[in-house]
């Protein structure tokens, strides 16, 4: 099992170099991989002045900039992509809106994985297309490359941020192609609920046989996920982390850094996007401050 069809969304030549470093890691399994490089030219929002005049030169300048930028990205892509992909293509398409996420997601419907870069504060071309909209609207797992990415020699340490919700479960199984080559896979649950007592349990399904090394207080669904991974010949451990008065995102980020995790797997927006916008949330926090390669899935 591997990612055979990858959509690489690219906004600048500088970002493409980061995308290449991530592709090099994906290509280490030696399996065939087709990569579609995608440059999306957004339609700008143009406002008229008080008299109703619209300056057409702004639109023309916008198109010239993106056409020149797209050609530079295409040239670099075609020059180096053969190092990482078995087959490839590069597409320059126009979006009908000022946001490219819908166009990217349409291509993602026929792919195993979307690969994109986090916006770089020093690279204005990467400021378009907020990644939260891309991650929220797609059903294709999306691997985000941090703007300050320092790639490991290989992906050896993988952590699944699990909370017992559908999005986290979906992400865990979308990550199987990454997990099967890792030395260590961790199922990490911050503030896991305490398991029900035998008297309080109402399920008629027998509890799973627990790994003797699994924490006794691990929720049953975490143990079942661990067993599902074992059926793929992937050994996974369960780590339960108390919040100790900190936010989930802060505890999780500290765990990633302390354990030198190479790739983090997360279910995206398990609470509503409006709730995340008002109160904050783990997804938005990690999209803004990413300690490592992160796979988001919904």
């Amino acid at each position: 099992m591997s990612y055979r069809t990858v959509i690489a969304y690219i906004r600048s030549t500088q970002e493409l170099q980061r995308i290449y470093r991530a592709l090099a890691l994906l290509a280490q399994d030696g399996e065939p991989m087709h990569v579609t490089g995608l440059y999306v030219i957004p339609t700008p929002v143009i406002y008229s002045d008080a008299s109703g005049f619209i300056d057409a030169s702004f639109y023309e300048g916008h198109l010239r900039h993106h056409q020149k930028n797209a050609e530079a990205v295409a040239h670099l892509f075609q020059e180096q992509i053969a190092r990482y992909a078995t087959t490839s293509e590069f597409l320059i398409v126009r979006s009908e809106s000022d946001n490219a996420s819908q166009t990217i997601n349409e291509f993602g419907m026929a792919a195993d994985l979307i690969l994109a870069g986090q916006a770089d504060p020093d690279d204005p071309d990467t400021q378009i297309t907020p990644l939260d909209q891309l991650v929220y609207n797609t059903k294709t797992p999306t691997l985000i490359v941090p703007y300050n990415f320092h790639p490991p020699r290989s992906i050896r340490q993988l952590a699944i941020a699990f909370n017992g919700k559908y999005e986290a479960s979906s992400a865990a199984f979308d990550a199987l192609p990454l997990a099967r080559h890792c030395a260590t896979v961790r199922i990490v649950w911050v503030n896991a609920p305490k398991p029900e007592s035998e008297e309080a349990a109402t399920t008629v399904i027998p509890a799973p046989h627990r790994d003797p090394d699994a924490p006794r207080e691990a929720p049953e669904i975490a143990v079942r996920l661990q067993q599902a991974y074992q059926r793929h010949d992937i050994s996974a451990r369960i780590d339960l982390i108390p919040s100790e008065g900190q936010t989930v995102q802060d505890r999780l980020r500290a765990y990633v850094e302390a354990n030198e995790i190479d790739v983090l797997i997360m279910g995206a927006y398990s609470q509503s996007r409006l709730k995340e916008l008002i109160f904050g949330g783990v997804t938005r926090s990690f999209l803004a401050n990413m300690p490592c390669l992160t796979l988001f899935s919904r």
Side-chain angles (χ1 to χ4, degrees), residues 247-267:
T247 63
V248 171
Q249 48 265 41
D250 286 345
R251 287 292 285 153
L252 190 55
R253 187 174 287 107
Y255 179 94
V256 167
E257 294 171 352
N259 291 279
E260 299 182 341
I261 299 300
D262 298 317
V263 60
L264 177 66
I265 312 302
M266 294 185 65

PDB file of all heavy atoms in Angstrom, residues 247-267:
ATOM      1  N   THR A 247      -3.471  23.599  27.084  1.00  0.00           N
ATOM      2  CA  THR A 247      -4.382  23.264  25.999  1.00  0.00           C
ATOM      3  C   THR A 247      -3.928  21.967  25.337  1.00  0.00           C
ATOM      4  O   THR A 247      -2.757  21.569  25.439  1.00  0.00           O
ATOM      5  CB  THR A 247      -4.414  24.374  24.937  1.00  0.00           C
ATOM      6  OG1 THR A 247      -3.104  24.498  24.343  1.00  0.00           O
ATOM      7  CG2 THR A 247      -4.825  25.707  25.545  1.00  0.00           C
ATOM      8  N   VAL A 248      -4.860  21.319  24.652  1.00  0.00           N
ATOM      9  CA  VAL A 248      -4.531  20.081  23.944  1.00  0.00           C
ATOM     10  C   VAL A 248      -3.426  20.336  22.926  1.00  0.00           C
ATOM     11  O   VAL A 248      -2.474  19.557  22.803  1.00  0.00           O
ATOM     12  CB  VAL A 248      -5.786  19.510  23.251  1.00  0.00           C
ATOM     13  CG1 VAL A 248      -5.409  18.341  22.339  1.00  0.00           C
ATOM     14  CG2 VAL A 248      -6.806  19.056  24.283  1.00  0.00           C
ATOM     15  N   GLN A 249      -3.539  21.451  22.187  1.00  0.00           N
ATOM     16  CA  GLN A 249      -2.546  21.720  21.155  1.00  0.00           C
ATOM     17  C   GLN A 249      -1.149  21.950  21.737  1.00  0.00           C
ATOM     18  O   GLN A 249      -0.147  21.518  21.160  1.00  0.00           O
ATOM     19  CB  GLN A 249      -2.961  22.900  20.270  1.00  0.00           C
ATOM     20  CG  GLN A 249      -3.429  24.142  20.986  1.00  0.00           C
ATOM     21  CD  GLN A 249      -4.935  24.184  21.122  1.00  0.00           C
ATOM     22  OE1 GLN A 249      -5.563  23.171  21.398  1.00  0.00           O
ATOM     23  NE2 GLN A 249      -5.515  25.368  20.921  1.00  0.00           N
ATOM     24  N   ASP A 250      -1.073  22.602  22.887  1.00  0.00           N
ATOM     25  CA  ASP A 250       0.238  22.837  23.497  1.00  0.00           C
ATOM     26  C   ASP A 250       0.856  21.534  23.997  1.00  0.00           C
ATOM     27  O   ASP A 250       2.060  21.301  23.835  1.00  0.00           O
ATOM     28  CB  ASP A 250       0.113  23.833  24.651  1.00  0.00           C
ATOM     29  CG  ASP A 250      -0.103  25.263  24.167  1.00  0.00           C
ATOM     30  OD1 ASP A 250       0.138  25.514  22.967  1.00  0.00           O
ATOM     31  OD2 ASP A 250      -0.529  26.111  24.973  1.00  0.00           O
ATOM     32  N   ARG A 251       0.043  20.674  24.610  1.00  0.00           N
ATOM     33  CA  ARG A 251       0.556  19.396  25.096  1.00  0.00           C
ATOM     34  C   ARG A 251       0.980  18.505  23.938  1.00  0.00           C
ATOM     35  O   ARG A 251       2.009  17.830  23.994  1.00  0.00           O
ATOM     36  CB  ARG A 251      -0.509  18.694  25.939  1.00  0.00           C
ATOM     37  CG  ARG A 251      -0.727  19.325  27.293  1.00  0.00           C
ATOM     38  CD  ARG A 251       0.479  19.138  28.205  1.00  0.00           C
ATOM     39  NE  ARG A 251       0.565  17.765  28.702  1.00  0.00           N
ATOM     40  CZ  ARG A 251       1.689  17.168  29.055  1.00  0.00           C
ATOM     41  NH1 ARG A 251       2.842  17.802  28.928  1.00  0.00           N
ATOM     42  NH2 ARG A 251       1.681  15.934  29.525  1.00  0.00           N
ATOM     43  N   LEU A 252       0.184  18.523  22.876  1.00  0.00           N
ATOM     44  CA  LEU A 252       0.496  17.693  21.718  1.00  0.00           C
ATOM     45  C   LEU A 252       1.756  18.188  21.016  1.00  0.00           C
ATOM     46  O   LEU A 252       2.620  17.394  20.617  1.00  0.00           O
ATOM     47  CB  LEU A 252      -0.690  17.698  20.755  1.00  0.00           C
ATOM     48  CG  LEU A 252      -0.658  16.715  19.587  1.00  0.00           C
ATOM     49  CD1 LEU A 252      -0.469  15.289  20.070  1.00  0.00           C
ATOM     50  CD2 LEU A 252      -1.948  16.832  18.775  1.00  0.00           C
ATOM     51  N   ARG A 253       1.886  19.503  20.888  1.00  0.00           N
ATOM     52  CA  ARG A 253       3.083  20.060  20.242  1.00  0.00           C
ATOM     53  C   ARG A 253       4.334  19.744  21.063  1.00  0.00           C
ATOM     54  O   ARG A 253       5.382  19.398  20.504  1.00  0.00           O
ATOM     55  CB  ARG A 253       2.917  21.566  20.059  1.00  0.00           C
ATOM     56  CG  ARG A 253       4.034  22.203  19.238  1.00  0.00           C
ATOM     57  CD  ARG A 253       3.768  23.663  18.954  1.00  0.00           C
ATOM     58  NE  ARG A 253       2.712  23.834  17.964  1.00  0.00           N
ATOM     59  CZ  ARG A 253       1.479  24.252  18.240  1.00  0.00           C
ATOM     60  NH1 ARG A 253       1.144  24.540  19.488  1.00  0.00           N
ATOM     61  NH2 ARG A 253       0.586  24.379  17.287  1.00  0.00           N
ATOM     62  N   ALA A 254       4.230  19.835  22.373  1.00  0.00           N
ATOM     63  CA  ALA A 254       5.367  19.506  23.233  1.00  0.00           C
ATOM     64  C   ALA A 254       5.738  18.029  23.096  1.00  0.00           C
ATOM     65  O   ALA A 254       6.922  17.672  23.088  1.00  0.00           O
ATOM     66  CB  ALA A 254       5.037  19.839  24.693  1.00  0.00           C
ATOM     67  N   TYR A 255       4.734  17.171  22.966  1.00  0.00           N
ATOM     68  CA  TYR A 255       4.984  15.736  22.791  1.00  0.00           C
ATOM     69  C   TYR A 255       5.718  15.484  21.474  1.00  0.00           C
ATOM     70  O   TYR A 255       6.680  14.705  21.420  1.00  0.00           O
ATOM     71  CB  TYR A 255       3.654  14.983  22.806  1.00  0.00           C
ATOM     72  CG  TYR A 255       3.781  13.495  22.598  1.00  0.00           C
ATOM     73  CD1 TYR A 255       3.861  12.624  23.681  1.00  0.00           C
ATOM     74  CD2 TYR A 255       3.819  12.949  21.317  1.00  0.00           C
ATOM     75  CE1 TYR A 255       3.984  11.254  23.494  1.00  0.00           C
ATOM     76  CE2 TYR A 255       3.944  11.589  21.120  1.00  0.00           C
ATOM     77  CZ  TYR A 255       4.024  10.744  22.210  1.00  0.00           C
ATOM     78  OH  TYR A 255       4.155   9.386  22.008  1.00  0.00           O
ATOM     79  N   VAL A 256       5.264  16.134  20.409  1.00  0.00           N
ATOM     80  CA  VAL A 256       5.892  15.967  19.091  1.00  0.00           C
ATOM     81  C   VAL A 256       7.363  16.365  19.144  1.00  0.00           C
ATOM     82  O   VAL A 256       8.240  15.656  18.631  1.00  0.00           O
ATOM     83  CB  VAL A 256       5.137  16.803  18.032  1.00  0.00           C
ATOM     84  CG1 VAL A 256       5.940  16.902  16.740  1.00  0.00           C
ATOM     85  CG2 VAL A 256       3.771  16.191  17.755  1.00  0.00           C
ATOM     86  N   GLU A 257       7.639  17.487  19.771  1.00  0.00           N
ATOM     87  CA  GLU A 257       9.015  17.978  19.831  1.00  0.00           C
ATOM     88  C   GLU A 257       9.885  17.110  20.736  1.00  0.00           C
ATOM     89  O   GLU A 257      11.030  16.800  20.401  1.00  0.00           O
ATOM     90  CB  GLU A 257       9.011  19.434  20.296  1.00  0.00           C
ATOM     91  CG  GLU A 257       8.358  20.373  19.277  1.00  0.00           C
ATOM     92  CD  GLU A 257       8.156  21.780  19.811  1.00  0.00           C
ATOM     93  OE1 GLU A 257       8.385  21.992  21.028  1.00  0.00           O
ATOM     94  OE2 GLU A 257       7.758  22.667  19.017  1.00  0.00           O
ATOM     95  N   ALA A 258       9.343  16.678  21.871  1.00  0.00           N
ATOM     96  CA  ALA A 258      10.123  15.878  22.820  1.00  0.00           C
ATOM     97  C   ALA A 258      10.467  14.506  22.259  1.00  0.00           C
ATOM     98  O   ALA A 258      11.529  13.947  22.566  1.00  0.00           O
ATOM     99  CB  ALA A 258       9.361  15.739  24.133  1.00  0.00           C
ATOM    100  N   ASN A 259       9.585  13.953  21.431  1.00  0.00           N
ATOM    101  CA  ASN A 259       9.796  12.606  20.896  1.00  0.00           C
ATOM    102  C   ASN A 259      10.324  12.607  19.461  1.00  0.00           C
ATOM    103  O   ASN A 259      10.397  11.551  18.834  1.00  0.00           O
ATOM    104  CB  ASN A 259       8.489  11.812  20.974  1.00  0.00           C
ATOM    105  CG  ASN A 259       8.094  11.482  22.394  1.00  0.00           C
ATOM    106  OD1 ASN A 259       8.601  10.528  22.986  1.00  0.00           O
ATOM    107  ND2 ASN A 259       7.190  12.274  22.960  1.00  0.00           N
ATOM    108  N   GLU A 260      10.679  13.791  18.960  1.00  0.00           N
ATOM    109  CA  GLU A 260      11.270  13.929  17.624  1.00  0.00           C
ATOM    110  C   GLU A 260      10.418  13.223  16.562  1.00  0.00           C
ATOM    111  O   GLU A 260      10.909  12.434  15.756  1.00  0.00           O
ATOM    112  CB  GLU A 260      12.706  13.395  17.610  1.00  0.00           C
ATOM    113  CG  GLU A 260      13.627  14.151  18.558  1.00  0.00           C
ATOM    114  CD  GLU A 260      15.063  13.652  18.522  1.00  0.00           C
ATOM    115  OE1 GLU A 260      15.287  12.518  18.058  1.00  0.00           O
ATOM    116  OE2 GLU A 260      15.960  14.402  18.946  1.00  0.00           O
ATOM    117  N   ILE A 261       9.124  13.536  16.581  1.00  0.00           N
ATOM    118  CA  ILE A 261       8.184  12.941  15.636  1.00  0.00           C
ATOM    119  C   ILE A 261       8.450  13.499  14.237  1.00  0.00           C
ATOM    120  O   ILE A 261       8.612  14.704  14.053  1.00  0.00           O
ATOM    121  CB  ILE A 261       6.732  13.234  16.069  1.00  0.00           C
ATOM    122  CG1 ILE A 261       6.457  12.631  17.451  1.00  0.00           C
ATOM    123  CG2 ILE A 261       5.746  12.716  15.033  1.00  0.00           C
ATOM    124  CD1 ILE A 261       6.631  11.137  17.540  1.00  0.00           C
ATOM    125  N   ASP A 262       8.497  12.603  13.245  1.00  0.00           N
ATOM    126  CA  ASP A 262       8.750  13.017  11.862  1.00  0.00           C
ATOM    127  C   ASP A 262       7.478  13.444  11.143  1.00  0.00           C
ATOM    128  O   ASP A 262       7.510  14.346  10.302  1.00  0.00           O
ATOM    129  CB  ASP A 262       9.403  11.870  11.076  1.00  0.00           C
ATOM    130  CG  ASP A 262      10.750  11.479  11.643  1.00  0.00           C
ATOM    131  OD1 ASP A 262      11.533  12.391  11.991  1.00  0.00           O
ATOM    132  OD2 ASP A 262      11.027  10.262  11.743  1.00  0.00           O
ATOM    133  N   VAL A 263       6.364  12.782  11.443  1.00  0.00           N
ATOM    134  CA  VAL A 263       5.093  13.143  10.813  1.00  0.00           C
ATOM    135  C   VAL A 263       3.971  12.944  11.824  1.00  0.00           C
ATOM    136  O   VAL A 263       3.919  11.937  12.531  1.00  0.00           O
ATOM    137  CB  VAL A 263       4.843  12.330   9.519  1.00  0.00           C
ATOM    138  CG1 VAL A 263       4.786  10.841   9.794  1.00  0.00           C
ATOM    139  CG2 VAL A 263       3.563  12.784   8.819  1.00  0.00           C
ATOM    140  N   LEU A 264       3.094  13.941  11.896  1.00  0.00           N
ATOM    141  CA  LEU A 264       1.947  13.909  12.801  1.00  0.00           C
ATOM    142  C   LEU A 264       0.688  13.679  11.979  1.00  0.00           C
ATOM    143  O   LEU A 264       0.503  14.294  10.923  1.00  0.00           O
ATOM    144  CB  LEU A 264       1.847  15.229  13.561  1.00  0.00           C
ATOM    145  CG  LEU A 264       0.648  15.397  14.506  1.00  0.00           C
ATOM    146  CD1 LEU A 264       0.737  14.405  15.668  1.00  0.00           C
ATOM    147  CD2 LEU A 264       0.580  16.827  15.032  1.00  0.00           C
ATOM    148  N   ILE A 265      -0.183  12.807  12.468  1.00  0.00           N
ATOM    149  CA  ILE A 265      -1.437  12.483  11.785  1.00  0.00           C
ATOM    150  C   ILE A 265      -2.582  13.063  12.605  1.00  0.00           C
ATOM    151  O   ILE A 265      -2.695  12.788  13.801  1.00  0.00           O
ATOM    152  CB  ILE A 265      -1.616  10.952  11.640  1.00  0.00           C
ATOM    153  CG1 ILE A 265      -0.335  10.301  11.092  1.00  0.00           C
ATOM    154  CG2 ILE A 265      -2.827  10.643  10.785  1.00  0.00           C
ATOM    155  CD1 ILE A 265       0.125  10.833   9.756  1.00  0.00           C
ATOM    156  N   MET A 266      -3.439  13.862  11.961  1.00  0.00           N
ATOM    157  CA  MET A 266      -4.514  14.533  12.695  1.00  0.00           C
ATOM    158  C   MET A 266      -5.829  14.465  11.937  1.00  0.00           C
ATOM    159  O   MET A 266      -5.863  14.634  10.717  1.00  0.00           O
ATOM    160  CB  MET A 266      -4.180  16.017  12.920  1.00  0.00           C
ATOM    161  CG  MET A 266      -3.014  16.294  13.828  1.00  0.00           C
ATOM    162  SD  MET A 266      -2.824  18.072  14.117  1.00  0.00           S
ATOM    163  CE  MET A 266      -4.335  18.397  15.005  1.00  0.00           C
ATOM    164  N   GLY A 267      -6.909  14.241  12.669  1.00  0.00           N
ATOM    165  CA  GLY A 267      -8.236  14.458  12.117  1.00  0.00           C
ATOM    166  C   GLY A 267      -8.531  15.946  12.175  1.00  0.00           C
ATOM    167  O   GLY A 267      -8.320  16.591  13.205  1.00  0.00           O
TER     168      GLY A 267
END
